[in-house]
């Protein structure tokens, strides 16, 4: 009888299982002036410019997948977008992400449906360069989606 080490048995087990990846769920990325971000206060509203709620799911490799709601807590992946390049923005601007959190999921592709019930879509974290700057929640301002700032975490 052939004896295998624990590491060899674990390696064989992992080959049989699908790889689970972590995807961060957020609103589409925004570019803001650094001076406006520095003046951000509790109660401020940041207009996203979106009329409908569209989400991005970002994996560890910075590949973005756009998703639209098909029911209350489920979204459908409708496409893959290119990696967002910071080099394309001006020096006086910064990229802002409104994150709802991360989801452990199998490999996603166009047409996949994702259940968001594990996320709290009432709260979001405003991130700049992967560090949390503020907390907020979604509001509707004359038919446009906006983020109301609830708490400032640190100076930008």
């Amino acid at each position: 009888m052939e004896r295998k080490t624990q590491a060899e048995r674990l390696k064989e087990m992992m080959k049989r299982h699908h790889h689970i990846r972590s995807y961060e769920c957020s609103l589409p990325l925004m570019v803001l002036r650094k001076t406006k971000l520095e003046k951000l206060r509790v109660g401020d509203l940041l207009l996203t410019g979106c009329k409908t709620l569209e989400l991005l799911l970002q994996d560890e490799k910075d590949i973005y997948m756009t998703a639209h709601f098909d029911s209350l807590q489920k979204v459908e992946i409708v496409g893959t977008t290119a990696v967002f390049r910071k080099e394309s923005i001006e020096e006086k601007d910064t990229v802002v992400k409104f994150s709802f959190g991360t989801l452990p999921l199998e490999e996603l592709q166009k047409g996949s449906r994702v259940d968001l019930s594990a996320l709290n879509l009432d709260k979001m974290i405003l991130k700049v360069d992967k560090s949390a700057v503020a907390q907020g929640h979604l509001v509707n301002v004359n038919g446009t989606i906006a983020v109301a700032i609830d708490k400032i975490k640190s100076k930008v």
Side-chain angles (χ1 to χ4, degrees), residues 81-141:
T81 63
V83 175
F84 190 83
R85 303 221 182 274
K86 282 188 160 186
E87 302 87 41
S88 63
I89 65 168
E90 295 180 32
E91 192 173 313
K92 56 188 171 187
D93 294 334
T94 189
V95 178
V96 177
K97 180 190 290 186
F98 299 102
S99 175
F100 292 105
T102 57
L103 290 169
L105 300 167
E106 291 183 15
E107 190 79 28
L108 292 179
Q109 56 189 335
K110 188 175 178 179
S112 298
R113 289 190 177 352
V114 178
D115 185 5
L116 299 178
S117 60
L119 296 176
N120 182 359
L121 296 178
D122 293 333
K123 303 273 184 204
M124 65 177 49
I125 297 173
L126 185 143
K127 292 182 175 182
V128 175
D129 295 326
K130 297 186 180 182
S131 62
V133 175
Q135 287 182 333
H137 65 277
L138 292 176
V139 293
N140 185 337
V141 178

Side-chain angles (χ1 to χ4, degrees), residues 6-109:
Q6 187 175 5
E8 290 171 331
R9 287 194 303 268
L10 182 60
K11 187 176 178 181
E12 286 179 8
M13 275 182 21
M14 293 306 290
K15 284 182 184 178
R16 291 187 294 241
H17 294 286
H18 295 285
H19 178 64
I20 302 294
R21 297 168 82 169
S22 180
Y23 291 88
E24 185 172 18
C25 182
S26 68
L27 292 177
L29 300 177
M30 285 180 60
V31 176
L32 289 177
R33 295 267 186 234
K34 289 179 182 176
T35 55
K36 291 199 184 272
L37 199 56
E38 290 168 355
K39 296 177 184 176
L40 195 63
R41 301 288 176 254
V42 172
D44 286 353
L45 293 176
L46 295 173
L47 296 175
T48 64
C50 301
K51 298 281 185 193
T52 60
L53 191 59
E54 182 178 299
L55 297 176
L56 290 179
L57 292 170
Q58 175 190 2
D59 69 4
E60 299 93 359
K61 298 177 184 170
D62 289 335
I63 303 298
Y64 296 95
M65 281 158 263
T66 54
H68 293 144
F69 279 90
D70 66 353
S71 68
L72 188 60
Q73 287 289 320
K74 292 195 181 229
V75 293
E76 179 179 355
I77 305 299
V78 293
T80 303
T81 63
V83 175
F84 190 83
R85 303 221 182 274
K86 282 188 160 186
E87 302 87 41
S88 63
I89 65 168
E90 295 180 32
E91 192 173 313
K92 56 188 171 187
D93 294 334
T94 189
V95 178
V96 177
K97 180 190 290 186
F98 299 102
S99 175
F100 292 105
T102 57
L103 290 169
L105 300 167
E106 291 183 15
E107 190 79 28
L108 292 179
Q109 56 189 335

